[in-house]
Amino acid sequence: MDWNGSQRHGSAMGGYPSYPSPQESLRLRRRPTNVADQSSPQFNWNPDRKEDERRQDLKELPLPMALKKSIWQVQQMKIPAVSRWQSWKMQKSKTLKRFRESSGGALAYVALWRRVLQKIGGHFGGGVQSYFLFLRFLVVLNFLSFLLIASFVLVPSIVFQSHNSGNNNTVNISAGKEECTTYDPNPQGLVHFYTYFIDLLTGTGFMEYSYLFYGYYNNTEVITNDFSYNIPLAYLLTAGFYFIFCLICIVIRMGSAVRIAVKTGGKAVGGYSTLVFTGWDYGLQGDRAVRLKQNSIRYQLQVDLEEERIKLKAASLTLAQIVGLYSLRAFLNLIVLALIGGSFYGIFLATEFSQGYQGTDFVSLVVEYLPSIVITAANFLVPFLCDQIALLERHSPSTTVILALLRAVFLRMISLGVLLFTLWSQITCRTAERGTCQPCGYNHTLYPCWETRVGQEMYKLAMFDFITVIAVMILVEFPRRMVVDHCSCKLVKFVGRQEFVVPQNVLGLVYGQTVVWVGALFCPLLPVINTVKFVIIFYCKRITLFYNCRPADRTFRSTSSNFFFLLVLLFGWMLACLTLIYSVAVIHPSMSCGPFLSLTTMWRVVPNSFYSLSDTTREFLLFIGSQAFSVPLFMLSCVVLAYVAALASVYGQSVSLLRAQLKLEGRDKKFLVKQIEELSSVTKRREQNF
């Protein structure tokens, strides 16, 4: 196609190119000639070209829409010379593409809390919306995890115990170890009514010996002619697959977050360009949807402008100012580390005091919750002080959010690790007399069923976290909003309504999910409890967001924060994995409760079950674990990873070149505009002189 020739021909005919009418174009065909007519835009009618290429060629031609429509109709009437296999393949690809589009639209329409999330994004921006999207992800993750645990552990245990089927493996007790089997969780005699309330909050009493905790499950093994089921093996493998399933879900969601960040460039320039030219949804209907979309775009532009302003201010600093700024940041980080270290020591002392206290009154309830109270207080006060310190560091909004996340996650995860370390130390007699662990391999005097005791600690942490969220909303957030709305004091007006602090709320979710992962082995029903908890928290946070909060003064980019939310969640998953591995492979199981009471470690059930398999299955599994299989698999994985890394590097270089080209074109346009302005001013002066 020669566009210049077309323009010259059009100018000769009065300034407009002469195109055939839509009716005449249906009868036009390209004649086989060696010299193409260059007087008008040409279209390639070659049937050998792919349909996507012909469609792209038609889109790029500078033709009227009526003529393009006529050409498209001709294309639909043309029957390409393709084979049956190619025709079936094309039809199948079109069908699959339509199915994916329709199924994606249907899933988006029935997505959980879709309208609520759109409303939140329109009123408070993508940053606050990312918190609720993250909360929805955790709700779905916990519900699917509960289905996994219920299918392979809970339902088979209920069925086998109701029909009294299967064989319970007996425990061989050697001389001197009879006291290791002593465990009586059932309450004796009459109890007061408030005791049931205490049991509900602590997981003791009537809740201790139930399907909620580890100690209620037994070592049942059902073996028939055509069916066999091993409850201990299913219990352990389900816990392992539960962690693998959670990891896969996190990695998939992180991949989608990374794709969005790469697509927007992770910078204000790329996000600004994408937002300006492709951000509007032309399918919106109704004033409400349009207003929400306008607010969402306004918040995103506000984030980009704030980022650019801070970058320009940082670039204008002198060397002395830069040195002073980094010195101040180093000093403030030392203060943050001192606060976090003090919190760890307080958690350690509270856990030791709580585990050694005995009692049944209300004071014992407070003492049992003392580690949870200290952890919650530290998680509330220390991040608040860190946020005030972060205001002096003068970072960008996104960097401030990331630093707050890292500091808070370090505090919360390590505080939970300190609690677990204290529990393991007392269970394995590292902080007590070694003689109490000699007969059984663990501290049977203080922890006759230590797995249930650890599950109770995680249960109390989850319950206290939920109670804290509800109490803060009722006792702090609503009264503050009422005081601000009905009091005309200048101090109250200056304080105003609270902001919805996204990092602290996200860390609360990550902390709650980490507690569930840590306690899933010892409290199998903890995922379903967490599902109900997160659903209630969603509605509570939604109410407090619209009624008690104001839009944040300092916003941040949600595309980069979503990835860090999942990265922080991955840290919690790693901590829970360490707990699982240590409990399964190192500590001796309780000899008085649970499905592993006859084994030296929980992992022993796997090799014991392995030797009971058939010879063919054993040989196959041994081949998978041998070097003949693992080494080629490792080499193939390295090759694939190297290819993916090289491909990503090439794409990154291409994106960098395109960005540089866009910058050069922008400079050229500015230069041309400047030249045009100078020429126009010169022309005006000449006209004035004449």
Side-chain angles (χ1 to χ4, degrees):
M1 183 186 70
D2 188 0
W3 174 247
N4 296 327
S6 175
Q7 291 289 343
R8 289 193 298 268
H9 180 73
S11 61
M13 296 299 295
Y16 295 94
S18 60
Y19 298 112
S21 63
Q23 291 76 15
E24 294 176 351
S25 64
L26 294 175
R27 298 189 298 270
L28 293 178
R29 296 293 186 272
R30 183 180 180 184
R31 297 179 179 179
T33 178
N34 295 329
V35 180
D37 184 14
Q38 302 294 331
S39 60
S40 62
Q42 302 295 321
F43 180 75
N44 189 3
W45 296 92
N46 185 11
D48 297 332
R49 300 182 64 189
K50 295 182 179 180
E51 182 181 356
D52 294 338
E53 295 179 358
R54 293 199 305 268
R55 187 181 296 112
Q56 186 67 23
D57 193 5
L58 180 60
K59 289 181 179 180
E60 293 176 354
L61 286 177
L63 300 176
M65 290 300 297
L67 182 56
K68 288 185 178 182
K69 184 178 180 181
S70 302
I71 295 174
W72 181 79
Q73 292 174 355
V74 172
Q75 288 179 351
Q76 297 300 316
M77 290 187 297
K78 291 176 69 65
I79 301 177
V82 295
S83 63
R84 292 183 178 180
W85 168 252
Q86 292 177 345
S87 178
W88 178 82
K89 191 176 180 180
M90 294 171 58
Q91 188 67 24
K92 183 180 178 181
S93 63
K94 289 182 179 179
T95 304
L96 290 176
K97 184 178 180 180
R98 292 173 183 173
F99 176 74
R100 285 195 299 266
E101 292 176 354
S102 59
S103 60
L107 290 176
Y109 184 77
V110 299
L112 186 64
W113 301 317
R114 180 177 60 91
R115 295 183 179 275
V116 176
L117 293 173
Q118 291 178 352
K119 185 177 179 181
I120 291 172
H123 284 282
F124 295 92
V128 177
Q129 186 187 31
S130 63
Y131 164 79
F132 287 91
L133 290 172
F134 185 65
L135 179 56
R136 183 179 67 176
F137 167 72
L138 292 181
V139 169
V140 177
L141 179 65
N142 282 277
F143 181 72
L144 296 178
S145 302
F146 165 70
L147 294 181
L148 177 66
I149 296 174
S151 301
F152 294 98
V153 177
L154 180 62
V155 174
S157 298
I158 295 175
V159 172
F160 296 154
Q161 291 188 14
S162 62
H163 292 82
N164 294 323
S165 59
N167 300 321
N168 294 334
N169 299 325
T170 59
V171 184
N172 296 324
I173 304 299
S174 59
K177 292 187 177 182
E178 293 82 3
E179 58 180 342
C180 299
T181 60
T182 304
Y183 176 60
D184 187 14
N186 296 319
Q188 302 294 329
L190 297 175
V191 294
H192 297 285
F193 177 76
Y194 68 84
T195 306
Y196 292 102
F197 177 73
I198 296 177
D199 294 340
L200 181 64
L201 293 179
T202 59
T204 56
F206 72 95
M207 296 188 66
E208 183 172 352
Y209 197 67
S210 64
Y211 287 105
L212 182 62
F213 293 107
Y214 167 93
Y216 190 77
Y217 297 88
N218 52 32
N219 56 351
T220 303
E221 184 177 358
V222 179
I223 301 177
T224 60
N225 295 330
D226 54 353
F227 177 77
S228 63
Y229 202 87
N230 192 338
I231 290 293
L233 182 63
Y235 193 98
L236 184 61
L237 293 183
T238 302
F241 281 112
Y242 165 61
F243 276 81
I244 295 173
F245 170 73
C246 293
L247 176 63
I248 293 173
C249 294
I250 294 173
V251 170
I252 292 175
R253 194 167 180 88
M254 287 181 70
S256 61
V258 169
R259 283 195 297 269
I260 295 174
V262 171
K263 186 181 298 184
T264 58
K267 299 178 181 179
V269 176
Y272 178 79
S273 302
T274 304
L275 188 63
V276 169
F277 294 105
T278 64
W280 186 255
D281 185 4
Y282 291 94
L284 295 176
Q285 297 180 359
D287 296 337
R288 176 179 173 273
V290 171
R291 185 169 59 256
L292 292 176
K293 188 64 178 179
Q294 289 174 347
N295 292 335
S296 178
I297 293 177
R298 178 169 61 87
Y299 279 113
Q300 295 180 40
L301 291 176
Q302 181 181 353
V303 172
D304 294 337
L305 294 175
E306 180 71 12
E307 293 279 351
E308 290 299 315
R309 184 188 66 83
I310 293 178
K311 288 181 181 179
L312 292 176
K313 185 178 180 180
S316 62
L317 295 177
T318 62
L319 180 61
Q321 291 175 340
I322 293 174
V323 172
L325 179 61
Y326 279 96
S327 300
L328 177 62
R329 289 176 179 176
F331 175 72
L332 294 176
N333 283 317
L334 290 177
I335 297 177
V336 170
L337 291 177
L339 292 173
I340 295 175
S343 302
F344 295 162
Y345 185 69
I347 294 169
F348 176 77
L349 294 179
T351 305
E352 280 197 337
F353 179 75
S354 173
Q355 297 300 312
Y357 186 84
Q358 299 292 333
T360 59
D361 53 356
F362 181 77
V363 177
S364 65
L365 175 64
V366 177
V367 174
E368 287 189 6
Y369 267 93
L370 187 60
S372 302
I373 294 172
V374 175
I375 291 175
T376 303
N379 292 336
F380 176 76
L381 294 176
V382 176
F384 175 76
L385 296 176
C386 292
D387 290 341
Q388 302 303 316
I389 292 173
L391 298 177
L392 304 175
E393 294 179 331
R394 291 180 289 177
H395 290 293
S396 63
S398 298
T399 306
T400 303
V401 170
I402 293 170
L403 283 177
L405 281 173
L406 292 178
R407 289 168 178 171
V409 73
F410 181 75
L411 172 65
R412 296 205 176 210
M413 297 299 106
I414 303 301
S415 62
L416 189 59
V418 170
L419 173 64
L420 293 173
F421 174 77
T422 308
L423 288 175
W424 298 151
S425 299
Q426 294 186 354
I427 292 171
T428 58
C429 301
R430 291 184 179 179
T431 59
E433 297 181 0
R434 300 293 300 179
T436 56
C437 291
Q438 290 299 328
C440 308
Y442 61 94
N443 192 348
H444 64 281
T445 304
L446 190 59
Y447 303 99
C449 184
W450 65 264
E451 295 92 346
T452 298
R453 188 63 178 273
V454 175
Q456 290 173 345
E457 291 296 330
M458 298 301 107
Y459 174 80
K460 287 187 289 186
L461 287 175
M463 291 296 295
F464 191 77
D465 181 64
F466 174 71
I467 294 172
T468 302
V469 171
I470 302 300
V472 168
M473 184 185 71
I474 297 176
L475 301 178
V476 177
E477 295 174 353
F478 275 106
R480 177 176 175 177
R481 192 260 299 179
M482 295 178 64
V483 170
V484 171
D485 292 345
H486 297 88
C487 183
S488 59
C489 179
K490 293 184 178 180
L491 179 61
V492 174
K493 294 298 182 182
F494 176 76
V495 174
R497 291 191 178 187
Q498 67 178 11
E499 295 182 7
F500 192 86
V501 184
V502 176
Q504 298 302 323
N505 286 278
V506 168
L507 261 297
L509 298 181
V510 173
Y511 171 75
Q513 186 61 42
T514 305
V515 168
V516 172
W517 281 333
V518 171
L521 180 65
F522 315 107
C523 184
L525 298 186
L526 204 55
V528 68
I529 296 175
N530 205 44
T531 303
V532 178
K533 167 188 167 183
F534 279 164
V535 170
I536 298 175
I537 287 178
F538 182 92
Y539 287 103
C540 292
K541 291 294 183 181
R542 172 196 170 190
I543 293 173
T544 191
L545 178 67
F546 283 99
Y547 290 95
N548 301 329
C549 298
R550 70 176 189 272
D553 296 332
R554 302 185 65 182
T555 56
F556 61 95
R557 185 175 293 107
S558 60
T559 54
S560 59
S561 300
N562 286 333
F563 176 78
F564 280 95
F565 293 166
L566 297 169
L567 185 62
V568 167
L569 186 64
L570 189 61
F571 290 158
W573 180 88
M574 294 172 62
L575 176 63
C577 280
L578 293 176
T579 304
L580 175 69
I581 295 172
Y582 185 77
S583 303
V584 169
V586 177
I587 305 180
H588 194 292
S590 298
M591 300 177 65
S592 59
C593 66
F596 307 101
L597 51 86
S598 60
L599 303 175
T600 56
T601 59
M602 296 182 186
W603 178 252
R604 288 300 306 171
V605 69
V606 176
N608 293 345
S609 302
F610 174 78
Y611 291 117
S612 64
L613 298 174
S614 61
D615 295 338
T616 305
T617 306
R618 283 204 306 265
E619 291 177 359
F620 176 73
L621 294 177
L622 288 174
F623 171 73
I624 291 178
S626 63
Q627 297 179 356
F629 180 80
S630 59
V631 172
L633 180 62
F634 176 74
M635 295 177 64
L636 180 62
S637 302
C638 292
V639 171
V640 173
L641 289 176
Y643 171 76
V644 172
L647 197 63
S649 178
V650 171
Y651 286 159
Q653 292 178 1
S654 301
V655 171
S656 300
L657 291 175
L658 290 175
R659 290 186 183 278
Q661 184 178 356
L662 287 175
K663 290 182 180 180
L664 291 176
E665 290 181 358
R667 293 175 183 175
D668 293 341
K669 289 179 181 179
K670 291 181 180 180
F671 176 76
L672 292 176
V673 169
K674 185 177 180 180
Q675 294 293 325
I676 291 173
E677 291 178 353
E678 291 179 356
L679 289 176
S680 61
S681 62
V682 171
T683 304
K684 288 181 180 180
R685 286 197 298 268
R686 289 180 180 179
E687 291 178 355
Q688 291 176 359
N689 293 332
F690 287 107

